[in-house]
Amino acid sequence: MIEGRTGKWETVIGLEVHAQVISKAKLFSGAATGFGAKPNTQVSPVDAGFPGMLPVINRFCIEQAVKTGLGLAAEINLHSVFERKNYFYPDLPAGYQISQYLQPVVGHGRVSLDMPNGTVREIGITRLHLEQDAGKSLHDRHPSLTYVDLNRAGVALMEIVSEPDLRSGEEAGLYLRKLRSILRYLGTCDGNMEEGSLRCDANVSVRRPGAPLGTRCEIKNVNSIRYVMQAIEYEARRQIEVIEEGGTVEQQTRLFDAARGVTRPMRSKEEAHDYRYFPDPDLLPLVLDPDWVERIRADLPELPDARKARFMSEYGLSADDAGVLVAEKETALYFERVAQRRESKVAANWVMGDLFGALNRLGVGIHLSPVSAEQLGALIDLIADGTISGRLAKDVFAEMVASSADPAAIVEAKGLRQMTDSSAIEAAIDTVLASQAGRVAEYRAGRDKLYGFFVGQVMRATQGKANPALVNQLLKKKLAG
Amino acid sequence: MSDLALLALNLTEARDGLARKMFSARELAAAYNDAVSKAKPLNAYITPTPERALAMADAADERLARGEALPLDGIPIAVKDLFCTKDILTTAGSHVLDGFHPPYESTVSDKLWQAGGVMLGKTNLDEFAMGSSNTTSWYGPVENPWRRPGDNRPLVPGGSSGGSAAAVAAHAALAAIGTDTGGSIRQPASFCGIVGLKPTYGRCSRCGVVAFASSLDHPGPMARTVRDVAIMLSAMAGHDPRDSTSAPVPVADFEKALTGDIRGLRVGIPQEYRVDGMPRDIEALWQQGVEWLRTAGAEPVEISLSMTKYALPTYYIIALAEASSNLARYDGVRFGLRVEGDGLEEMYELTRAAGFGAEVRRRVLIGTYVLSAGYYDAYYLKAQRVRTLIARDFAAAFERVDCILTPTAPSTAFAIGEKSGDPIEMYLNDVFTVPANLAGVPAISVPAGLSGDGLPLGLQITGRAFDEETVLRVAQVLENAASFRHLPSFLAGAGR
Amino acid sequence: MALDKETVAHIATLARIRVAEAELELLANELSHILSWVEQLNEVDTTGVAPMASAAAASLPMRDDAVNDGGCREAILGNAPRVARGFFTVPKVVE
Ligand SMILES: [Mg+2]
Ligand SMILES: [Zn+2]
């Protein structure tokens, strides 16, 4: 809810996400899909719309779309149709995009969001359809020319359309994170927004609470979750201002200017779009074998919601901790490797505390962590078996982050092994007490608070290596005289 | 053997002569190269490829010498310039494809070369195969090798595969490939006195064929006899994984279907094909055809194809809608003509205005209109529903009969410019051929006689989907009965 | 359906074909003529009849996810009217 000058406003948001399908070859041609190749080196005559060249669909791309549909708890349409969406653009070689329109491969589904207040929100999925990506137009390489690279032309995209169920930029952010997490769990899209594997268009409108939907604006191609959130918040406030000033919101396509944090209408004249969709006569209806769909369903991996529930029941984690650990597939896998045969809460604390802190400082994801799950597990084991103290473990971890070395090797090399020899500790205590005869007398006279001072002195004398429990036990005995 | 005698052989005879070493593939190719240049006044070829023909003939001779002859070894074939041929100019008869050298070969032409065929060149056609008279080509009109006796006006060869038809009729190719979207193989075959077959949809791959209307385009063979066409089809047909609409149906040896025995076969005669204003000689020839088949032991059966009248408008809506989309790729960016203008949009508009001829522009505009918002249901969807009814007509008919006999076209070849003004008058040429394209069933045109004004007339046999064997068998019986031996004036005339 | 000049101009823009103002009238007449001819289809009762998109009876064949095409930049750019540094080029587009 946004408080305007004239009262409360509700923002209504629907998202259209274009997710690039993970596949070796393109949707309708045998050209490669890899990111970052030299211009026009991953282009077949089919992708370039050469005369007489015909599309033939990639079975794996369909499997990926079906898998994604199942992951979104959606209906799979056993009969779907590819249609042509006709428009002219230099990076659309055939003059039409092969897409799905009236009969998409995936129908209604849903995504559930864990809200910060602990509740769960269900966001409806309207549909998911398969379509071809366009090529790339580069407008800034030449003063009077646009350069066209068709490497991306024909790569398979899943367009995932949400219901207008989202109510704030923050919710939109949660939805995108959750959707990306599901796609990554499924292995159907890498979710990389910087490389354009995940792109988002946001339809935004505002209304008085309970009123019918207002006129919406579509914000095109925003390339980070943070920007999507910013763009929505800006756009909602802009629309409220327009209405409160007595104007009306014009339905239009807008772009987000990340540098200025504002949305602006697209400069190109928005001709009345008339895409003249019709079934692509080069392709026949896509008919799926229900057994095939069931086999895909049977092979689905555990998804974030299920994994979260399992982390809570199996590892006794709180909902918050489990939520954090399952958000990224790699984190969840990492955690489970660390928690293997170990105290799960200790494992969770190390992963979410020290490890996340270190990764944050380094600015890398967990897949690039300098400390492997096995190494972190070994560190926890060294604490558990008394080889090092919990305090020293922090230093060892810092060293692991710096050098990627095994904790045992660091402990050995730096001589950090915990002192558990009681005669050595006794000798250290004796030395400390002998040098602090006055304070010993005060303590024995009743100044209990000095106890901590003696512990500190003993630890200092042993460079922190003395086993704290032993120190306690022996010190108490000695002070008691 | 003299060149003239060589050129008089049909495909079957040439194949046998090569096998018996009566002449070499090189001699045959050289004779045809010569015939191609002599036929230049007909404008049947856009791009002759004489060097390639000789090289392919030499390769065929080597195989023939080794006793490893392929089915079409040494047979000189003309290719409609709608088929992409690797590194050879491919124009679709359009200015907009100026200079286009495809980096690939169409599946059908490739199969012919794999079978030993010798490529003579690329033949002229209506621009993007849109026409029934071969007058819309950027490379100028094709002339029919036939003329009316005592009338020196050049006639159209029919279209759109008019260059292929004229080349075969003028003995400037032993056989040719064409495409048939609404009659573009059969109607020119009828106009030029040759045999032309439109196979079942999906029988011959569309891969590498410049698209006019994808759901209606059918590549097919054109030659001098039914047997020649059967031999060609056996080489051209077959499932192609690069065309999603190609049928995974096994290919028979179609020559074996030519048994001459049609006893007991039921031949449908659709009453609706007796259209108003059909010339009496066509009507009479059709009746003659019925008698020929009856004499051969077939049983004529009156049938009804009630939707016939609506086939043409249905065809035009669907074909033009698909064409408007298929031709969007000609935009001046990746191949062909480009006319620079002030900015991108003007470049598009000027390129396409200059690149497309009047008929193509007209068709693209109509196709765009019938697909546009608000009109899609009234035109396009309506036409698709009528198409269903037309296909049902055929399905019902084929429950009662094994094939259908009709005239191929409602007229003979007309003079260039004789029918201009009204596009619909031109469209009416396709009235008998279009239904088979909509239903996807095979149909053949066989020269069956001469009209009152001395021009060839074809009869058409239409069959069940994937039953080209019956179509060819009946066609050959007709061919034998008609024993059409007339030669076009171009061959009979001076110099030849 | 009689098309007016404005409609023809609009279709021509959609189809990206420049039509001179002077040609619009003639074209409007031609197209109207053809459209009124195809409108005889309205005589046919198609209630409950499914549209037919293709004569092919089968369903969509699928291919394996294998890279066996592309990597042929010369072939792709070889026919282009204008190229620069491995790209196709067009007059600058303003977004
Ligand atoms: Mg969309
Ligand atoms: Zn899309």
Side-chain angles (χ1 to χ4, degrees):
Chain A
M1 227 49 89
I2 297 178
E3 193 68 50
R5 235 176 355 92
T6 61
K8 285 188 190 317
W9 294 90
E10 184 178 46
T11 314
V12 177
I13 304 141
L15 297 183
E16 286 176 23
V17 171
H18 283 94
Q20 182 181 324
V21 174
I22 293 176
S23 66
K24 294 191 200 87
K26 293 183 180 180
L27 183 55
F28 292 112
S29 87
T33 58
F35 180 78
K38 289 215 173 75
N40 293 306
T41 55
Q42 296 182 163
V43 183
S44 100
V46 176
D47 308 318
F50 270 50
M53 290 290 96
L54 299 170
V56 181
I57 202 160
N58 182 333
R59 181 186 292 105
F60 184 65
C61 292
I62 299 172
E63 182 175 337
Q64 293 284 64
V66 168
K67 195 187 261 189
T68 305
L70 293 170
L72 299 173
E75 303 153 13
I76 304 302
N77 296 324
L78 297 178
H79 184 278
S80 66
V81 173
F82 285 94
E83 303 205 31
R84 293 184 182 177
K85 177 181 184 177
N86 295 282
Y87 64 96
F88 285 86
Y89 204 74
D91 58 25
L92 185 72
Y96 56 83
Q97 176 195 35
I98 304 177
S99 180
Q100 296 189 299
Y101 184 54
L102 295 178
Q103 302 180 65
V105 65
V106 175
H108 283 279
R110 61 182 184 275
V111 167
S112 41
L113 305 186
D114 296 316
M115 304 304 291
N117 65 6
T119 59
V120 173
R121 280 258 285 136
E122 292 252 301
I123 305 301
I125 299 291
T126 312
R127 61 186 281 157
L128 175 156
H129 69 248
L130 272 170
E131 63 184 24
Q132 304 173 294
D133 203 349
K136 202 170 178 179
S137 293
L138 304 157
H139 306 300
D140 52 6
R141 296 286 181 93
H142 189 278
S144 61
L145 296 173
T146 288
Y147 284 17
V148 180
D149 172 14
L150 298 181
N151 279 349
R152 223 173 56 189
V155 168
L157 298 179
M158 297 179 284
E159 181 172 329
I160 304 167
V161 182
S162 85
E163 298 283 331
D165 288 349
L166 299 160
R167 291 291 174 269
S168 67
E170 190 195 4
E171 278 190 19
L174 282 173
Y175 168 83
L176 283 173
R177 285 203 180 87
K178 185 60 174 284
L179 182 62
R180 184 172 65 180
S181 163
I182 292 170
L183 294 171
R184 285 176 171 166
Y185 268 69
L186 291 166
T188 56
C189 170
D190 68 23
N192 190 330
M193 290 187 89
E194 299 80 68
E195 292 179 2
S197 323
L198 200 68
R199 310 196 282 274
C200 181
D201 303 341
N203 289 300
V204 180
S205 64
V206 298
R207 66 176 174 189
R208 294 294 186 187
L213 288 175
T215 305
R216 65 194 165 91
C217 287
E218 184 176 13
I219 311 166
K220 278 276 178 208
N221 255 329
V222 194
N223 63 6
S224 86
I225 293 178
R226 199 161 53 87
Y227 290 162
V228 172
M229 296 166 67
Q230 281 178 21
I232 289 170
E233 293 302 333
Y234 173 87
E235 179 61 18
R237 287 184 188 282
R238 184 191 72 84
Q239 291 182 14
I240 291 167
E241 207 165 295
V242 168
I243 301 169
E244 290 188 332
E245 300 285 308
T248 47
V249 175
E250 222 185 300
Q251 180 162 353
Q252 57 185 190
T253 306
R254 300 176 70 87
L255 291 174
F256 181 63
D257 181 338
R260 296 169 48 219
V262 303
T263 67
R264 59 166 172 83
M266 281 181 81
R267 252 183 293 166
S268 58
K269 173 171 58 106
E270 269 291 284
E271 69 164 287
H273 280 303
D274 188 344
Y275 292 125
R276 289 157 285 136
Y277 280 99
F278 74 108
D280 190 331
D282 287 330
L283 296 165
L284 302 169
L286 173 62
V287 179
L288 302 181
D289 174 1
D291 293 342
W292 187 57
V293 173
E294 286 318 305
R295 282 201 295 280
I296 297 171
R297 191 194 301 276
D299 286 347
L300 281 185
E302 184 180 47
L303 293 176
D305 289 342
R307 184 161 292 172
K308 180 180 169 188
R310 181 168 64 80
F311 277 18
M312 290 167 69
S313 63
E314 193 171 305
Y315 298 112
L317 299 179
S318 70
D320 281 354
D321 287 357
V324 170
L325 288 173
V326 303
E328 295 288 348
K329 183 181 174 185
E330 284 73 21
T331 309
L333 292 176
Y334 189 105
F335 163 73
E336 289 212 86
R337 289 210 301 274
V338 178
Q340 208 65 185
R341 297 179 315 272
R342 296 189 183 98
E343 182 62 47
S344 50
K345 279 183 185 147
V346 173
N349 286 339
W350 273 99
V351 171
M352 292 189 297
D354 299 81
L355 179 71
F356 279 11
L359 296 178
N360 252 334
R361 279 190 298 280
L362 295 171
V364 297
I366 200 158
H367 60 291
L368 292 176
S369 170
V371 179
S372 72
E374 288 63 35
Q375 289 175 322
L376 181 54
L379 178 65
I380 293 171
D381 291 344
L382 290 179
I383 305 165
D385 70 11
T387 306
I388 53 172
S389 67
R391 210 194 61 72
L392 271 186
K394 305 279 180 189
D395 301 340
V396 174
F397 182 77
E399 187 56 34
M400 289 163 73
V401 170
S403 66
S404 287
D406 285 343
I410 295 169
V411 167
E412 246 7 277
K414 304 220 159 177
L416 299 178
R417 187 171 281 279
Q418 189 162 246
M419 195 184 278
T420 50
D421 174 355
S422 42
S423 57
I425 295 174
E426 259 188 276
I429 292 174
D430 288 344
T431 314
V432 168
L433 297 189
S435 64
Q436 300 287 349
R439 287 202 164 101
V440 171
E442 281 179 53
Y443 177 86
R444 284 179 177 154
R447 269 195 76 188
D448 290 357
K449 281 181 184 155
L450 278 171
Y451 182 71
F453 166 79
F454 294 122
V455 172
Q457 290 297 307
V458 173
M459 292 312 282
R460 207 166 122 191
T462 59
Q463 291 105 51
K465 286 183 285 185
N467 178 310
L470 271 177
V471 170
N472 253 325
Q473 188 195 330
L474 296 169
L475 186 61
K476 281 207 172 125
K477 207 192 293 172
K478 293 267 177 193
L479 283 170
Chain B
M1 233 172 156
S2 77
D3 271 14
L4 225 57
L6 270 183
L7 297 173
L9 301 175
N10 64 34
L11 189 157
T12 309
E13 292 160 351
R15 179 187 63 178
D16 298 346
L18 284 164
R20 297 213 306 274
K21 311 266 184 339
M22 292 168 67
F23 45 86
S24 68
R26 190 181 177 89
E27 285 172 83
L28 189 62
Y32 270 98
N33 280 342
D34 202 31
V36 168
S37 47
K38 287 210 176 99
K40 203 158 194 295
L42 298 177
N43 200 25
Y45 283 86
I46 293 173
T47 310
T49 54
E51 292 84 11
R52 178 166 300 221
L54 292 178
M56 291 172 102
D58 288 344
D61 277 331
E62 278 174 32
R63 286 187 297 267
L64 285 158
R66 288 200 304 268
E68 294 166 5
L70 296 167
L72 289 176
D73 246 335
I75 302 298
I77 297 167
V79 175
K80 185 181 187 179
D81 206 11
L82 200 64
F83 291 85
C84 290
T85 40
K86 192 168 193 294
D87 302 329
I88 293 174
L89 180 68
T90 297
T91 69
S94 181
H95 187 27
V96 87
L97 268 173
D98 270 6
F100 177 57
H101 288 68
Y104 43 83
E105 183 81 21
S106 84
T107 298
V108 161
S109 55
D110 191 50
K111 276 173 170 282
L112 292 177
W113 316 145
Q114 294 305 320
V118 166
M119 179 178 175
L120 286 174
K122 307 294 292 287
T123 53
N124 207 343
L125 68 159
D126 278 303
E127 184 179 6
F128 283 106
M130 295 180 184
S132 311
S133 62
N134 229 299
T135 49
T136 69
S137 171
W138 171 252
Y139 297 88
V142 176
E143 251 185 53
N144 195 322
W146 292 77
R147 288 195 184 173
R148 295 179 185 124
D151 180 346
N152 216 23
R153 278 182 302 167
L155 304 177
V156 303
S160 63
S161 311
S164 287
V168 171
H171 293 185
L174 201 36
I177 49 178
T179 60
D180 188 316
T181 305
S184 284
I185 286 176
R186 291 159 290 158
Q187 185 253 19
S190 177
F191 278 20
C192 293
I194 65 164
V195 183
L197 170 69
K198 179 201 85 70
T200 309
Y201 187 77
R203 186 60 111 167
C204 291
S205 171
R206 295 185 297 111
C207 182
V209 183
V210 176
F212 162 13
S214 313
S215 82
L216 298 162
D217 292 344
H218 297 68
M222 306 170 87
R224 291 181 214 163
T225 71
V226 172
R227 183 176 297 277
D228 292 0
V229 155
I231 293 168
M232 285 285 285
L233 182 64
S234 295
M236 294 162 65
H239 179 242
D240 181 3
R242 294 191 302 163
D243 173 359
S244 300
T245 63
S246 166
V249 173
V251 177
D253 178 349
F254 294 108
E255 204 181 347
K256 290 217 175 86
L258 306 176
T259 60
D261 183 3
I262 60 163
R263 285 172 300 172
L265 215 71
R266 297 166 66 87
V267 180
I269 314 298
Q271 58 202 34
E272 290 83 0
Y273 278 56
R274 298 204 169 84
V275 296
D276 290 346
M278 181 154 74
R280 297 183 61 116
D281 44 4
I282 295 180
E283 174 80 43
L285 184 70
W286 187 13
Q287 199 47 51
Q288 177 66 68
V290 174
E291 293 313 316
W292 283 331
L293 295 182
R294 193 199 307 276
T295 306
E299 182 194 341
V301 178
E302 281 278 332
I303 58 163
S304 168
L305 296 172
S306 63
M307 286 290 132
T308 301
K309 178 183 172 203
Y310 302 106
L312 261 186
T314 300
Y315 165 80
Y316 273 91
I317 292 175
I318 292 171
L320 273 43
E322 292 181 10
S324 71
S325 176
N326 281 334
L327 269 57
R329 67 193 62 205
Y330 306 103
D331 60 4
V333 178
R334 295 165 315 286
F335 36 74
L337 181 74
R338 168 148 164 181
V339 179
E340 296 291 353
D342 181 15
L344 176 75
E345 296 299 327
E346 194 167 289
M347 186 273 275
Y348 281 154
E349 293 191 351
L350 296 180
T351 297
R352 290 165 62 78
F356 294 148
E359 181 61 22
V360 172
R361 285 202 299 271
R362 186 154 52 218
R363 293 192 185 203
V364 168
L365 292 178
I366 293 177
T368 302
Y369 182 72
V370 299
L371 286 177
S372 66
Y375 300 99
Y376 178 86
D377 288 10
Y379 290 104
Y380 185 72
L381 214 53
K382 180 76 184 181
Q384 281 197 326
R385 292 186 205 281
V386 180
R387 186 178 186 183
T388 301
L389 296 177
I390 290 165
R392 276 187 202 163
D393 260 4
F394 278 103
F398 286 128
E399 285 185 7
R400 299 182 54 215
V401 299
D402 301 297
C403 65
I404 296 167
L405 173 71
T406 64
T408 304
S411 76
T412 52
F414 42 88
I416 294 174
E418 195 172 339
K419 292 189 188 190
S420 47
D422 187 352
I424 292 170
E425 195 193 344
M426 192 67 89
Y427 297 173
L428 288 171
N429 258 291
D430 299 333
V431 63
F432 297 150
T433 46
V434 148
N437 295 80
L438 289 164
V441 293
I444 194 169
S445 177
V446 182
L450 291 182
S451 64
D453 55 359
L455 292 177
L457 280 172
L459 286 176
Q460 173 174 249
I461 300 290
T462 305
R464 296 188 181 94
F466 299 105
D467 189 13
E468 282 86 353
E469 284 157 288
T470 299
V471 169
L472 288 162
R473 185 181 313 132
V474 178
Q476 198 197 31
V477 170
L478 268 187
E479 179 182 50
N480 288 338
S483 64
F484 185 91
R485 300 266 185 274
H486 311 279
L487 285 178
S489 48
F490 182 80
L491 287 179
R496 302 298 297 261
Chain C
M1 172 64 101
L3 295 191
D4 54 23
K5 280 166 55 176
E6 288 66 41
T7 309
V8 175
H10 173 65
I11 305 168
T13 306
L14 272 182
R16 299 294 189 279
I17 296 176
R18 176 66 56 91
V19 176
E21 175 66 29
E23 279 179 85
L24 283 175
E25 189 79 56
L26 177 70
L27 209 44
N29 288 337
E30 272 180 358
L31 301 194
S32 301
H33 179 48
I34 294 168
L35 285 167
S36 58
W37 170 70
V38 302
E39 277 160 18
Q40 59 180 295
L41 291 190
N42 294 333
E43 297 163 14
V44 184
D45 181 5
T46 52
T47 319
V49 178
M52 175 174 170
S54 173
S59 68
L60 191 62
M62 306 181 198
R63 51 168 244 279
D64 291 336
D65 183 28
V67 175
N68 49 25
D69 204 345
C72 50
R73 179 153 83 181
E74 302 314 309
I76 293 299
L77 296 178
N79 279 287
R82 304 264 189 287
V83 293
R85 308 211 316 250
F87 295 92
F88 297 100
T89 69
V90 296
K92 197 173 189 84
V93 181
V94 187
E95 279 205 325

